[in-house]
Amino acid sequence: VLEESESEREKNGEEATVLRDSRVFVQELEKINQKWEEEYNKNEKQGEEIMLASWDISAMYPSLKIEYIVREVDTLLVERIGQKPSGAMRDAAKRLRKVVMPLLIFMLQHQFVYVRDEGVGVAEKKIFYWQKDGIGIGSSASGPIADITVLVGERIVLKKLEREGYNLKMYKRYIDDIFAIVEGGAGKGKEAEKRIDRGLNELDAGGSVKVEGKAIVTNRTKKMGEDEKRIEFLDIDTVLGWGGVGATMSTEIYKKEAAADLYIQASSAHPESLKIGMIKGEVIRYISLCSQEKGFNKAWTRFAKALRDRGYTVKQLEKAREGLDYGSRPSLIKKRLDKAAVKETEKNRCPGVPIVVPYKPGQHQWWQDCKDRDLVLGLAGLHQVEIDYLPGKCMLKCLSSTANLGQALKKGTKRDEKGD
């Protein structure tokens, strides 16, 4: 429901609110940069203010009142019913609401958690608690529920802001972290920060949502003696400065001062491939998130020093960096976008039902006979992607070991025959 709601907004030319990946955040900032450069070249809006702000929702999960959650989730489901064309689709939306709401209410009213006391062995006891408010921090459902709960009121606040003449360039929220960019005339930046702050704090009269934030308010043109400004959001440090094209934003890796560099020790028994993969993954993240090479170099220098302190050699670092330099950024971003496009295309498809058959004498012929007599599965209507998941041209063997089984299913190839 959440993904569908956000997708509908994007189809209507509106900005999706919920953020899932900080790389998308960086991509959106770079688009705004391009727009600012175009406006600078045309000498447009250079007298306006810019406001960059970030907020944090305090203790979000335990603070959300059950009544507030139920009301907001139901509001979104009712809105969804009205957006569906009359007939089967609207009836399905109504049925979904009738199923979801009782389940949600029951779940919220029956949240139990336990902790262990200080006893040891048989003397250890579990102390159970009944959570009367909020949503469980350890539940996989808590994230989407919290997102939907806040989303309904957020949209009202933002629409009101735009009706009042504020140019909202960006508003993104990742669970309880929020980032916004607003443009406007003199005094509009500071006023926009206050309006958003007040709107978020008033989402629920019962006090479910309380935010704390900070903001940067400056002009599109640099004032004498003004230095660049920074504001963090998630793992991104957004730097606002002034280049040869007016106000510009760049991104670097944000790391809390108290963060400890507790990476896997080089002496650990973990496989060497895992250690190299960990380093490689961080390098790819730095390349993707740093909009300028100097930001990447800064992050890599800090990371490399931390790894050397953990016992890694220069040779290991060089191996992890093979084929990865800042010049590879465009290709890495394109690869991510291509994967995202494929995922978007296939997310509503059934991946099929992989069937694993024990490899025993005569089993292969039995499987083939079942397929020949259409006793296994009718493939009519399946996409090629689903068909590729099914054991067709070959058998899946070595069932006593699970290594690489997922890859074998996806590739539709045989597993290694090593007598397992």
Side-chain angles (χ1 to χ4, degrees):
V1 171
L2 178 61
E3 288 184 2
E4 180 185 290
S5 178
E6 291 284 81
S7 297
E8 285 298 318
R9 285 177 61 83
E10 291 181 317
K11 290 177 183 177
N12 295 330
E14 298 177 282
E15 181 184 343
T17 300
V18 177
L19 185 69
R20 294 286 181 238
D21 191 334
S22 53
R23 290 173 294 185
V24 175
F25 172 72
V26 171
Q27 182 184 345
E28 292 296 319
L29 289 183
E30 292 179 347
K31 289 180 181 178
I32 294 174
N33 259 345
Q34 292 175 0
K35 184 64 176 176
W36 283 358
E37 183 176 347
E38 293 172 5
E39 291 170 349
Y40 176 84
N41 293 331
K42 296 176 182 178
N43 197 28
E44 296 176 350
K45 301 183 178 181
Q46 296 308 295
E48 291 190 346
E49 282 186 347
I50 302 170
M51 185 277 290
L52 277 66
S54 66
W55 292 269
D56 176 71
I57 302 177
S58 301
M60 185 181 188
Y61 283 8
S63 297
L64 295 176
K65 304 290 189 295
I66 290 179
E67 295 81 1
Y68 175 55
I69 295 172
V70 172
R71 183 177 70 245
E72 298 302 294
V73 172
D74 192 49
T75 298
L76 186 66
L77 291 175
V78 171
E79 289 178 356
R80 181 174 180 269
I81 292 171
Q83 293 166 355
K84 296 294 182 183
S86 58
M89 294 184 69
R90 181 168 295 183
D91 291 341
K94 290 179 180 178
R95 289 196 300 271
L96 180 66
R97 179 183 175 231
K98 288 182 179 180
V99 170
V100 167
M101 291 311 300
L103 289 175
L104 175 65
I105 294 169
F106 181 86
M107 186 205 79
L108 294 173
Q109 292 177 339
H110 298 80
Q111 298 183 91
F112 298 93
V113 296
Y114 73 84
V115 295
R116 294 173 176 170
D117 65 11
E118 297 179 355
V120 179
V122 294
E124 181 184 73
K125 296 181 179 179
K126 295 178 180 178
I127 304 173
F128 286 82
Y129 294 91
W130 183 1
Q131 184 170 338
K132 295 293 188 72
D133 238 331
I135 47 178
I137 293 175
S139 171
S140 60
S142 296
I145 291 172
D147 276 336
I148 291 176
T149 300
V150 179
L151 186 64
V152 176
E154 264 179 331
R155 290 176 176 174
I156 296 173
V157 171
L158 299 179
K159 285 182 180 179
K160 184 178 180 181
L161 196 71
E162 291 177 330
R163 284 198 302 267
E164 293 174 351
Y166 294 91
N167 184 8
L168 187 65
K169 299 293 291 185
M170 174 189 283
Y171 183 94
K172 296 292 184 186
R173 177 171 54 80
Y174 182 89
I175 310 295
D176 58 351
D177 291 307
I178 300 168
F179 187 91
I181 300 177
V182 178
E183 296 177 355
K188 286 282 189 180
K190 195 64 180 176
E191 188 60 32
E193 179 203 356
K194 293 179 181 178
R195 294 287 184 91
I196 296 175
D197 194 286
R198 184 169 62 248
L200 293 173
N201 281 315
E202 294 176 352
L203 286 178
D204 177 37
S208 292
V209 180
K210 294 298 178 184
V211 301
E212 297 176 353
K214 57 184 176 180
I216 295 172
V217 180
T218 187
N219 296 313
R220 290 283 289 267
T221 53
K222 183 179 181 180
K223 293 181 178 179
M224 185 68 69
E226 192 170 12
D227 295 326
E228 66 181 21
K229 303 174 185 295
R230 293 172 176 266
I231 189 167
E232 66 272 6
F233 175 64
L234 303 179
D235 57 343
I236 304 295
D237 201 10
T238 303
V239 185
L240 178 63
W242 297 266
V245 291
T248 58
M249 292 178 291
S250 60
T251 53
E252 298 179 0
I253 301 299
Y254 172 69
K255 187 173 183 292
K256 293 182 179 180
E257 292 182 6
D261 296 317
L262 300 180
Y263 301 105
I264 299 172
Q265 288 274 14
S267 58
S268 166
H270 288 84
E272 180 72 7
S273 59
L274 185 146
K275 300 172 190 174
I276 298 300
M278 177 271 293
I279 301 172
K280 189 183 293 288
E282 279 292 87
V283 173
I284 292 173
R285 184 170 73 92
Y286 295 163
I287 293 174
S288 301
L289 298 183
C290 294
S291 60
Q292 295 181 0
E293 189 169 5
K294 66 178 183 179
F296 166 73
N297 291 335
K298 177 182 174 182
W300 167 251
T301 300
R302 181 206 60 77
F303 183 45
K305 180 181 181 305
L307 291 174
R308 292 301 306 276
D309 291 343
R310 304 289 282 179
Y312 288 86
T313 65
V314 172
K315 185 176 180 181
Q316 286 175 304
L317 301 188
E318 289 176 346
K319 182 177 180 180
R321 284 287 306 271
E322 286 178 2
L324 290 175
D325 54 39
Y326 194 75
S328 63
R329 187 171 190 260
S331 62
L332 288 174
I333 292 175
K334 183 180 184 302
K335 186 181 295 185
R336 179 182 65 81
L337 293 175
D338 289 344
K339 286 183 177 179
V342 172
K343 184 177 180 181
E344 181 67 23
T345 302
E346 297 182 353
K347 69 179 182 181
N348 292 322
R349 292 182 181 176
C350 172
V353 182
I355 301 174
V356 180
V357 180
Y359 183 58
K360 298 178 180 178
Q363 202 79 3
H364 186 281
Q365 186 58 47
W366 167 81
W367 175 253
Q368 190 62 47
D369 290 343
C370 288
K371 289 198 298 180
D372 292 343
R373 291 186 290 158
D374 294 326
L375 297 179
V376 178
L377 182 69
L379 302 182
L382 289 181
H383 295 277
Q384 187 59 42
V385 175
E386 286 92 41
I387 294 174
D388 290 344
Y389 269 74
L390 301 175
K393 297 176 292 226
C394 60
M395 292 289 291
L396 297 175
K397 307 175 184 178
C398 308
L399 298 188
S400 62
S401 172
T402 58
N404 301 321
L405 178 57
Q407 289 88 332
L409 287 171
K410 288 183 179 180
K411 294 178 181 178
T413 56
K414 286 185 179 180
R415 300 185 64 193
D416 296 332
E417 297 182 40
K418 296 181 179 179
D420 290 345

